[in-house]
Amino acid sequence: MASRTMDDFNLDTYLLRAGALDLSAIDWAAVPRYPLSSEAIRTMRFMQDIESHTIVYLRSLLATRAINEPDVAAFLACWVNEETFHGLALERFLAAAGHPIGSRPKPHGHENPAQWLEARGTAFVSRLWADFCAVHMTWGAINELTTLMGYRRLAALTSHPVLAEMLERIQHDESRHFFFYYRQAEIRLRRPVVARVARVLVDRFWGPVGSGVQPRSELRFMAGYLFSDAEGVAAVRKVDETIRRLPGFATVQLLEAWLDRYVKGGRNGHSRD
Ligand SMILES: [Fe+2]
Ligand SMILES: [Fe+2]
């Protein structure tokens, strides 16, 4: 990521190279040969849920103006395909490791009341505000970079060769997703009035990726596992510092502030996610 600049992103190149992760290229039979900690398994279960939740999230996005923007619509079509295969890869890995996901209490495709409200709220704000896409792109940049760092940390905290190879492929996709969203956000936030409204909405409503998908306890567990040590804190700061380079976001408080509040210092506190 560091070797590229934000100007490098080219949508045509992305669309030409986009494609689902090749599940047949992973050596599933070798998965059970290497140990995995219970923390890593619990974290992967949560990551799998977030990835497979993408199709539900897409439903909210399709109710916004995003589909009126040809570049964004073309990207989203490929993006949802790639994210879905990240979910399938994690599901298959967990099954191969002897920890199948099984049935989940909350079926995908059905919104809970909070998600219903969020989806309707997003659609409503989008209708009122023509530049809503700037928030969507900023939000996407934060989430994709957080996800990329999360997978990078998981690979570092485990020493499982098959997992490492699978995560490398996933990180490659997440990195390209991040570049798309970030570049779009950078362009759209150049208008000061757009940047001001976007910043207010992020300050008010942003929560880490995965908020609302599973219980808060799982989100806190995953964040604590991935981001508590020195390398984890450095990864979190990298996310925050990168987003602070967007117009109007120089002082935004994101992941590090959330971790300090809800994982390190406030295990009993209540988050709004
Ligand atoms: Fe993903
Ligand atoms: Fe992604």
Side-chain angles (χ1 to χ4, degrees):
M1 193 178 74
S3 60
R4 296 170 64 186
T5 68
M6 297 304 166
D7 292 324
D8 287 341
F9 187 88
N10 180 293
L11 182 64
D12 291 337
T13 309
Y14 169 76
L15 294 176
L16 279 171
R17 292 183 189 158
L21 188 146
D22 183 2
L23 295 176
S24 68
I26 309 289
D27 187 3
W28 304 111
V31 171
R33 286 184 212 141
Y34 306 92
L36 273 173
S37 69
S38 58
E39 288 89 352
I41 290 160
R42 188 172 166 185
T43 295
M44 271 188 272
R45 289 177 70 87
F46 189 43
M47 288 171 149
Q48 195 280 336
D49 203 21
I50 296 174
E51 294 283 10
S52 59
H53 197 81
T54 306
I55 194 78
V56 180
Y57 181 53
L58 182 68
R59 182 166 51 190
S60 309
L61 295 180
L62 294 180
T64 71
R65 295 168 186 258
I67 50 169
N68 298 335
E69 311 240 1
D71 284 2
V72 175
F75 168 79
L76 288 178
C78 297
W79 167 80
V80 76
N81 180 43
E82 292 180 349
E83 302 293 23
T84 300
F85 271 79
H86 297 167
L88 290 173
L90 285 162
E91 183 179 354
R92 191 145 175 196
F93 184 93
L94 285 164
H99 301 276
I101 297 216
S103 61
R104 285 203 163 103
K106 188 180 66 192
H108 287 300
H110 294 85
E111 294 163 299
N112 64 35
Q115 288 165 343
W116 184 88
L117 197 65
E118 189 182 309
R120 299 311 175 277
T122 304
F124 181 68
V125 174
S126 154
R127 265 197 295 278
L128 283 182
W129 187 38
D131 291 302
F132 180 78
C133 207
V135 181
H136 170 195
M137 296 297 114
T138 307
W139 208 275
I142 304 168
N143 283 356
E144 294 290 348
L145 190 53
T146 306
T147 309
L148 172 63
M149 291 301 178
Y151 284 127
R152 198 174 280 177
R153 292 297 304 136
L154 179 63
L157 289 164
T158 50
S159 48
H160 190 299
V162 183
L163 181 62
E165 196 199 324
M166 188 179 89
L167 291 178
E168 198 157 308
R169 289 165 188 258
I170 294 178
Q171 285 174 66
H172 179 71
D173 289 348
E174 306 298 11
S175 169
R176 292 179 309 131
H177 298 166
F178 163 71
F179 273 103
F180 173 80
Y181 282 114
Y182 195 89
R183 186 74 190 125
Q184 286 286 326
E186 209 174 31
I187 293 165
R188 290 162 195 271
L189 295 172
R190 276 181 196 153
R191 287 167 54 210
V193 65
V194 174
R196 271 200 297 278
V197 180
R199 174 67 191 275
V200 167
L201 290 173
V202 168
D203 282 349
R204 177 69 190 85
F205 296 107
W206 176 84
V209 57
S211 301
V213 173
Q214 276 211 359
R216 287 169 203 163
S217 57
E218 291 305 295
L219 181 63
R220 287 179 190 158
F221 172 82
M222 180 177 71
Y225 173 63
L226 295 174
F227 298 121
S228 284
D229 63 6
E231 288 85 3
V233 172
V236 157
R237 286 186 182 150
K238 174 92 180 160
V239 174
D240 289 358
E241 283 162 14
T242 305
I243 300 304
R244 285 184 191 129
R245 287 201 286 274
L246 286 172
F249 280 73
T251 56
V252 75
Q253 296 296 314
L254 295 169
L255 270 183
E256 189 173 13
W258 183 89
L259 273 158
D260 284 347
R261 188 167 179 194
Y262 296 115
V263 179
K264 292 177 186 168
R267 287 178 191 278
N268 298 319
H270 296 286
S271 69
R272 63 169 178 256
D273 45 284

